Amino acid sequence: MASLIEPPLVTPSAALARIAASCASRGIRLTATRRLVLGLLLEAERPLGAYLLMERLRATTRQAVSPPTVYRALDFLARERLVHRIERLDAFVACAAAARDGGGHAHLHQFLVCRRCGRAEEIHDPAVALALSGAAGQVGFSAHRMTVELEGECARCAAPKAEPRHQPPT
């Protein structure tokens, strides 16, 4: 059985170059601000909210950055399926599939959100999406968008911490 977890990202700079090339080939304009926001998300270890992105943009560019600028960039990147919004956290992550192959395609995804460290792992299980669509259809509901977020603890946070070894006196 194939892994449901998206493979690890390539380096952020390689992913950004791959995405930029894909956007250019599709005639999609990846402005400097959009590119910077996407780069920050690719480098981040956990989802980032718009205001934290704004602070990091200010630090990177050493220029004033307004909230609408960041929100417009995020809206564009989400529309182009290059980033995903984690609703529970009101934050964004770079799309693992886009980082791997350049993006520009729809795919069904789910997120495992760690309540301790805040990381969000993107997984892809078509059976989950099929089950939810089927259940919705049984009650006459037509789903237009589907985001599944499971909250819990990641393997790193759930792992038992090693007890310090007691050293006998010397």
Side-chain angles (χ1 to χ4, degrees):
M1 178 176 169
S3 172
L4 301 176
I5 297 175
E6 294 287 346
L9 297 176
V10 294
T11 64
S13 59
L16 190 55
R18 188 173 289 157
I19 291 168
S22 175
C23 286
S25 73
R26 293 180 288 130
I28 294 167
R29 192 163 166 246
L30 196 58
T31 64
T33 300
R34 293 169 181 168
R35 189 179 179 102
L36 283 169
V37 168
L38 182 57
L40 289 170
L41 289 170
L42 286 164
E43 292 170 356
E45 290 188 8
R46 54 189 46 89
L48 300 177
Y51 281 88
L52 184 53
L53 277 166
M54 186 174 63
E55 288 173 20
R56 290 187 181 183
L57 269 175
R58 284 179 182 157
T60 301
T61 63
R62 300 184 196 278
Q63 296 177 359
V65 179
S66 68
T69 299
V70 174
Y71 281 111
R72 279 193 301 269
L74 288 168
D75 286 345
F76 171 86
L77 295 169
R79 250 191 340 271
E80 293 302 321
R81 300 180 178 117
L82 301 173
V83 303
H84 300 295
R85 182 168 187 239
I86 307 290
E87 303 286 338
R88 183 206 148 332
L89 302 175
D90 194 20
F92 295 83
V93 294
C95 173
R100 188 182 61 250
D101 62 26
H105 61 280
H107 66 283
L108 302 171
H109 55 273
Q110 301 87 35
F111 292 97
L112 308 176
V113 181
C114 181
R115 64 180 351 164
R116 283 194 187 176
C117 69
R119 291 179 190 268
E121 186 77 40
E122 182 177 348
I123 63 171
H124 172 71
D125 187 347
V128 170
L130 187 60
L132 287 172
S133 293
Q138 287 178 357
V139 296
F141 186 83
S142 176
H144 298 280
R145 185 173 77 88
M146 185 182 314
T147 301
V148 177
E149 300 174 12
L150 299 176
E151 183 180 341
E153 292 179 356
C154 67
R156 188 181 332 178
C157 290
K161 305 295 183 231
E163 292 292 322
R165 294 182 184 211
H166 181 69
Q167 298 292 329
T170 55

